[in-house]
Every structure is written in structure tokens, then in C-alpha cells.
Amino acid sequence: MSTPAGPAPFAWAAYFETGLDDVDAQHHKLVDLVNMLASRAMGGEGLKPAELERILDALARYAQHHFSAEEALMQQVGLDPRHLQSHGRSHQEFITQVEDMRRSTDPARVTSVLYGFVTSWLSFHILDTDRSMARQIRAIQSGQSPAAAYELDAGVNPDPANQALVQAVRRLLGVLGERNRELVRLNAGLEQRIAARTLALNETNQELRQTLGRLQETQARLLEADKMAAVGQLAAGIAHEINNPLGFVASNLSALGGYAGQLLDLAGDSDRLVQGEMPRSAWQSARARIDLNYIRDELPTLLAESEKGVDRVGEVVRALSEFANPSPATGIWSGIPELMDQAIRETAEARPVGVDVVREYAPDLPLLPVNPTLLGSAFRALLENAALALEGKPGAITACLEQRPGELRIEVRDTGCGMDEAVRSRVFDPFFTTRPVGQGRGLGLSATYRIVRQHGGRIDVVSTPGMGSAFIITLPLVDMPAEGGP
């Protein structure tokens, strides 16, 4: 059972007042805050994280306004530097403690510290340091020097009201201390278990640190936003896509180097023949050793293959760059049903016999500002993927278009093999494919994902193994400008 809160322990009275209106107004607010905290503490009610954050914000504002005003006043009056130094140091300590409490991740601990902190500040700073400041200001204004005012105030006897307040503070802190000790006893067993578990985890973590360090270096280079989680698959895909063209480019360069060497040797022999340094029979013998007709036919082929291989590497690099940094698509007002119909026609030859394509288009669908080339490419990729999911068996592919509040929904679903969660979660990753090596690059769906993002939309996939898949694109609706408008 919680203890009733009872009356507030601190009532604003004359002994709080310094005679400085702005200072006293700020002190009055702090007394109200202390009474609220005391009431919560005595009632056994803690502070919620959001409430604690507001209180710390209020203390930060109090420090910013009150301290700057006090320090400006002391500088203006010209208090003794000894008082200025100690007074300013107490202000800085206040700010430091508030910031320490703000950085803490344990609201329960901060709450208990906060109760003691504000009450201690109220009694030991406001009723001591600030009242001392006020007395010295009045003494200087009456004609005393700052040094004399400082030394005279050092001999002032403690205010009885201050002593009474300190006693009240100590009683309050005693209640809080008892509550804290109870919490400590309750948490002692938990802390022991946590310590034991932490020790075991530390031993395990020690074994993993070196491995994790090496992995983090690799991941830092390969992770690209949230789509680069599958580092291993991405690295394997890139290596496969780049090594293949580089392999035959390297082979072609080796052959070209050999041919170049033969042709250069023959050119050197020709120079010597022209200059009379070599008999014609020797040149004809050297010429016969080189199959010029073969080299003449082979050179264009090798150069074309090498250029194609370099273009393939460039395509892979561009695909990665565009996936990571999609740019907005240039919009042309287009009909989505017409784009889907065109994609269906263009992918007809790739669909096996026995595959039906069903169109479910809602009437009067609005035009959208899209890039018809890019969006058509995305539709083709989805239709081709649906056909592959049927694995050569009869089935159906359905294209569904419908308007919803604020968006146009485009769905391509199939009755194919479906996907498990492991495949579904990575289906838009670049170079991820379930097809055999050499039969798919894994760029079609990742390009579709990028294109949809360029159009400000999103794409999702729903799939069940053995029951087919559905790819769902959602594009935002945009009002067409009025005729003659901007």
C-alpha cells in the first residue's frame, strides 16, 4: 500500500526571497517543482519516461534563463571575483548533472536521483549561495566595496529558516532513501543473475569478436541500404556476372596480343625487304608462317566479343548504381491498362503453351504521369517471372488493375510454384536468383523494385509454396493539370 502524499513539504515563504524579483520568480517555480516531486515520491508513484523528459527540459530552460540572468546581474553590480567564481561553478555543476540525467537509459534511477538533486539544490544553493549573493548586492549598493561585502557576508550566521528547510529535506530524502534501499534489495538477486549471464556472454563474445571484426569490414563495403543484407549472394552474383565477360575478354586479349606480335614481326620483315636488307625469299617464308587470312577474319570477331564483354561489365555496374540511387522518373501521362497490354503482347512468345493470361481491369482508370518505357519494362519482368514460376506447366497469369483511395493498385499473380519466406524476403535483391547458373542474372525484379521507387510507389509480394505468388505495385494518384494550366 502506498503512503498518502500529504501536504507539500515546502511552502513559499519570506525566507526564500532574495529581494530580486526575476530571481525570486524563478525560485518560486523551482519550489513548485520540488513539491510535485515530493508528492509523487511520498505517494509511491514514479515518473513516466515522457514526464521525466519534460521535467529535465524544464530544468534545462531554468538553467539557461536563470543562470544567465544571475551571472549578468552579478557582473553588472561588480561582486567580488571569489563569489563570482564559486557561484558560476555551482551553476555549471547544475547543468552537468541535468545533462548526465538526460543521457541515462534508466528512468527509475534518474527519478530517484532527481528527487534528491532538486531538493538539495533548493536548500543548499538558493537559501545559501543565492541569498548570499543578494546580501552582497545590497551591501555594494549601500556603498561598501565588493571585497568588504564578500568578507562581511562570510561571517553571517545561518538562517534558522534555512536550517528548518534542510531538516525537511533530510526527512524527504530519508523516505526516498528507504524506497531506494528496498529497490536495491529486490534487484540484488536479479543483478547477480545478470552478472553471471553477462560473464557467460562475454566469454562467448570474446570468441566472436575477431570474426565479427572481419565480417564488419566486408559488410561496410557491400551493404547498400536495407537491400544489401544478403552479402554472400550479392558477392557471388557480382563475381559471376563480371568474371564471365572478363574471362573471355582476357582470352581475346591474349589471342590479340599473339596476333599483334606476329603482325609486328612481319611488318619489321617488310621494312627490311624494302630497304634491301632481306631477300624476297626470306620475306615470303616469314609471310607463309602467318595465316593472314585467318587473322583478318578473326580480328573483328575478337574485338566485337571484347567490346560486348566490357559493355556487360558496365551494365552490371550501372544496375548496382541505379538500384542504390534511384532518380525520379520523367513522367508522361499514360494509361496503365495500355502499358500492361503491351507488356503482355511482348512476353507472349516466352510463355509456354497452356498458360492463360487473364485481364481484370477496373473501368475508367485514370492516366498517370509515368515513364512508359521503364514501367513497361517492370511489367514485362513481372510477367516473365510469373511464366517461369509455372515451370513449363499449364496455369494462369492474372493482371489486375484497380483504383483505390489515393492510389492505383497493379497486381500480377500466378498459379505457379510459389516461394518460401527465405526466398520471398530476398526476391528484390540484385543478383539473387533461384534459376541455375547461367540461366538468370537476378536483375529483373531488382530493376522492377527500383523503377517502382522512381515512380514514388511501392511493391510487395505475397506467396505460398505450391500455391503461386502475387506481386503488387501501388502507385500514387496524381491529378492531371487543368487544360491551359502550368
Side-chain angles (χ1 to χ4, degrees):
M1 181 184 304
S2 62
T3 305
F10 308 122
W12 183 262
Y15 53 74
F16 283 107
E17 297 176 357
T18 64
L20 306 172
D21 293 342
D22 190 38
V23 173
D24 288 340
Q26 293 297 321
H27 288 173
H28 203 160
K29 293 178 182 179
L30 193 61
V31 169
D32 293 341
L33 175 61
V34 172
N35 283 330
M36 184 276 289
L37 293 173
S39 175
R40 299 289 288 274
M42 297 296 291
E45 183 180 0
L47 294 174
K48 297 178 180 178
E51 186 178 20
L52 178 60
E53 185 67 22
R54 288 195 297 272
I55 291 174
L56 292 176
D57 287 342
L59 289 176
R61 290 192 298 270
Y62 163 83
Q64 180 180 8
H65 174 74
H66 181 61
F67 294 168
S68 60
E70 270 193 358
E71 291 172 10
L73 176 62
M74 290 189 291
Q75 291 286 351
Q76 180 182 359
V77 174
L79 290 188
D80 187 279
R82 290 170 289 181
H83 181 83
L84 289 175
Q85 183 179 8
S86 63
H87 203 140
R89 186 166 53 249
S90 67
H91 286 173
Q92 188 57 48
E93 290 173 353
F94 181 97
I95 294 172
T96 299
Q97 291 188 58
V98 170
E99 291 305 313
D100 286 344
M101 285 186 282
R102 189 187 297 278
R103 286 192 293 268
S104 175
T105 58
D106 185 358
R109 187 193 70 81
V110 173
T111 301
S112 63
V113 172
L114 178 61
Y115 291 155
F117 170 61
V118 292
T119 51
S120 296
W121 177 265
L122 179 66
S123 58
F124 299 117
H125 180 80
I126 292 177
L127 292 177
D128 182 12
T129 306
D130 281 1
R131 288 179 65 84
S132 172
M133 171 193 70
R135 288 193 297 269
Q136 292 181 61
I137 290 174
R138 287 193 292 271
I140 291 172
Q141 291 173 341
S142 68
Q144 293 187 20
S145 68
Y150 175 80
E151 293 169 359
L152 180 63
D153 191 73
V156 174
N157 292 325
D159 190 334
N162 190 7
Q163 292 180 336
L165 183 58
V166 170
Q167 291 177 358
V169 169
R170 289 174 177 169
R171 286 196 298 273
L172 174 61
L173 296 179
V175 173
L176 296 174
E178 180 57 35
R179 293 187 184 277
N180 288 338
R181 284 191 292 273
E182 182 178 356
L183 288 174
V184 169
R185 287 193 297 270
L186 292 174
N187 289 335
L190 177 60
E191 290 176 353
Q192 291 176 356
R193 292 193 296 272
I194 291 175
R197 180 58 177 163
T198 300
L199 179 61
L201 289 175
N202 285 340
E203 293 176 353
T204 302
N205 289 339
Q206 186 64 30
E207 299 174 359
L208 296 175
R209 282 195 180 96
Q210 292 183 346
T211 302
L212 287 175
R214 292 190 296 269
L215 289 175
Q216 287 169 353
E217 292 180 4
T218 304
Q219 289 171 342
R221 294 189 300 268
L222 297 176
L223 288 176
E224 190 65 50
D226 57 347
K227 301 307 298 176
M228 294 299 175
V231 176
Q233 180 67 36
L234 177 61
I238 294 173
H240 173 72
E241 289 299 317
I242 292 181
N243 284 340
N244 280 349
L246 287 182
F248 64 74
V249 168
S251 176
N252 289 352
L253 287 175
S254 177
L256 287 170
Y259 296 155
Q262 294 178 41
L263 292 174
L264 288 173
D265 290 342
L266 185 59
D269 290 341
S270 298
D271 289 342
R272 287 191 292 274
L273 175 65
V274 171
Q275 295 170 6
E277 299 175 359
M278 181 179 189
R280 184 176 182 82
S281 59
W283 183 87
Q284 290 176 336
S285 176
R287 167 68 177 78
R289 290 196 297 270
I290 300 176
D291 191 346
L292 281 179
N293 291 330
Y294 177 79
I295 292 176
R296 186 179 296 109
D297 294 337
E298 185 74 1
L299 280 177
T301 302
L302 293 177
L303 290 173
E305 288 181 351
S306 299
E307 183 177 0
K308 182 178 179 181
V310 172
D311 289 342
R312 180 73 172 274
V313 173
E315 180 184 348
V316 171
V317 173
R318 284 193 300 273
L320 282 174
S321 177
E322 291 173 356
F323 183 84
N325 301 290
S327 57
T330 302
I332 298 175
W333 291 96
S334 307
I336 303 303
E338 289 76 14
L339 291 180
M340 181 63 74
D341 286 341
Q342 181 179 351
I344 291 173
R345 289 192 298 270
E346 292 175 350
T347 56
E349 293 184 2
R351 286 191 291 274
V353 177
V355 175
D356 297 325
V357 176
V358 181
R359 296 172 173 84
E360 296 179 357
Y361 300 169
D364 302 324
L365 293 174
L367 302 178
L368 290 182
V370 301
N371 184 312
T373 300
L374 290 179
L375 199 59
S377 173
F379 291 167
R380 288 194 300 273
L382 294 181
L383 292 167
E384 290 169 355
N385 184 75
L388 290 171
L390 294 171
E391 299 178 328
K393 303 173 184 177
I397 298 173
T398 302
C400 178
L401 308 179
E402 62 176 326
Q403 181 177 347
R404 294 188 175 185
E407 61 187 26
L408 185 67
R409 189 174 187 271
I410 304 160
E411 179 179 350
V412 176
R413 61 178 181 267
D414 61 71
T415 57
C417 59
M419 297 175 282
D420 59 23
E421 180 60 25
V423 173
R424 190 200 66 78
S425 64
R426 300 180 58 191
V427 72
F428 297 118
D429 288 356
F431 302 108
F432 176 78
T433 179
T434 57
R435 299 171 67 186
V437 175
Q439 295 187 21
R441 290 188 292 161
L443 289 176
L445 292 179
S446 68
T448 299
Y449 178 90
R450 171 176 53 82
I451 291 169
V452 171
R453 287 178 59 193
Q454 287 177 289
H455 285 80
R458 65 181 187 274
I459 181 169
D460 302 293
V461 58
V462 178
S463 185
T464 302
M467 298 182 65
S469 303
F471 287 82
I472 304 164
I473 296 175
T474 305
L475 298 177
L477 293 180
V478 180
D479 293 332
M480 181 178 292
E483 186 174 353

